[in-house]
């Protein structure tokens, strides 16, 4: 069983990654378990933040590190909340507060102009000085509802409408979400390349 530290404290992400990576004989340890403080996310892009987080976790643990930086890009808001998705309503904001702020920001925007997409950038570093980290990107197209639907998932899932599925992400079964999601897509890229990466 190979061990990789996940540079995140997000329980939703940990659950998804553990489910997705278990069949590949990879055990995920969280930075919390190892007593590692989260890195400061000072990057302006998902790629920059993911690299900062992975390097920090790898340096502190001495293990390979996997970091995910993901978020929601809403066209009518010029890409916001973007890299600030988890703290859109302020540092330590709860999902409901972020969702409420998003609904407020879009209240004058008609449904036809509420296009959005989830992005996930995964960075895997073999060690803190890794000059060629593995970088994978997945995206998921949808639009933003005018009110929450469903109780599954986390983050903006109750507001993220999938026209092809006819439901919100929060209404999708977990297995289906893993198949379709931005994180699932990025992780499949990662799994295709990880064998050559000599972790």
């Amino acid at each position: 069983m190979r061990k990789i530290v996940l540079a995140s404290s997000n329980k939703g992400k940990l659950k998804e990654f553990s489910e997705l990576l278990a069949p590949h004989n990879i055990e995920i340890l969280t930075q919390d378990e190892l007593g590692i403080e989260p890195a400061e996310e000072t990057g302006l892009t998902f790629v920059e933040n993911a690299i900062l987080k992975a390097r920090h976790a790898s340096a502190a643990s001495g293990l390979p590190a996997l970091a995910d930086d993901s978020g929601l890009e809403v066209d009518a808001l010029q890409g916001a909340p973007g890299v600030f998705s988890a703290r859109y309503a302020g540092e330590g904001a709860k999902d409901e507060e972020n969702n409420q702020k998003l609904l407020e920001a879009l209240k004058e925007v008609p449904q036809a102009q509420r296009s959005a997409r989830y992005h996930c950038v995964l960075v895997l570093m073999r060690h803190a000085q890794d000059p060629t980290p593995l970088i994978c990107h997945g995206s998921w197209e949808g639009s933003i509802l005018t009110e929450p639907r469903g109780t599954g998932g986390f983050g903006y899932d109750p507001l993220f409408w999938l026209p092809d599925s006819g439901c919100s992400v929060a209404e999708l079964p977990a297995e289906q979400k893993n198949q379709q999601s931005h994180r699932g897509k990025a992780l499949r890229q990662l799994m295709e390349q990880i064998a050559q990466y000599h972790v």
Side-chain angles (χ1 to χ4, degrees):
M1 203 73 164
R2 288 173 292 174
K3 292 185 178 183
I4 291 178
V5 59
L6 177 63
S8 174
S9 308
N10 184 308
K11 288 184 170 61
K13 286 183 186 177
L14 172 63
K15 184 173 183 294
E16 283 186 17
F17 278 122
S18 295
E19 286 169 4
L20 290 161
L21 287 168
H24 299 280
N25 211 30
I26 291 172
E27 182 189 353
I28 295 283
L29 304 168
T30 65
Q31 58 187 13
D32 281 3
E33 286 174 71
L34 301 173
I36 299 167
E37 287 293 314
E40 235 184 297
E41 295 181 42
T42 54
L44 299 177
T45 64
F46 295 123
V47 173
E48 287 175 284
N49 278 337
I51 288 173
L52 284 169
K53 291 192 275 192
R55 182 173 288 132
H56 174 78
S58 185
S61 67
L63 291 167
L66 175 64
D68 156 312
D69 203 52
S70 49
L72 180 68
E73 175 190 12
V74 180
D75 294 323
L77 302 177
Q78 286 77 52
V83 294
F84 301 104
S85 292
R87 50 193 192 277
Y88 189 42
E91 284 298 331
K94 293 184 169 65
D95 289 348
E96 296 76 20
E97 295 167 318
N98 288 329
N99 283 324
Q100 200 49 54
K101 180 171 179 180
L102 181 62
L103 288 175
E104 189 62 31
L106 290 172
K107 67 179 178 187
E108 306 296 333
V109 180
Q111 192 61 55
Q113 292 166 30
R114 295 166 80 105
S115 57
R117 66 209 50 82
Y118 270 136
H119 289 285
C120 173
V121 171
L122 292 181
V123 168
L124 178 63
M125 297 188 105
R126 291 165 290 199
H127 48 80
Q129 307 306 319
D130 192 343
T132 55
L134 189 50
I135 301 173
C136 303
H137 171 244
S139 63
W140 200 10
E141 295 289 327
S143 64
I144 304 302
L145 291 163
T146 53
E147 58 183 37
R149 285 182 52 162
T151 55
F154 63 96
Y156 298 94
D157 289 356
L159 294 178
F160 195 80
W161 179 252
L162 302 166
D164 293 347
S165 302
C167 66
S168 77
V169 174
E171 294 172 307
L172 274 183
E175 196 177 311
Q176 219 173 318
K177 180 185 176 182
N178 288 342
Q179 280 300 311
Q180 297 179 29
S181 78
H182 52 310
R183 192 165 294 111
K185 289 173 187 171
L187 200 53
R188 280 192 291 281
Q189 288 178 35
L190 183 78
M191 297 324 300
E192 283 165 17
Q193 297 174 54
I194 203 167
Q196 289 83 47
Y197 193 60
H198 308 297
V199 176

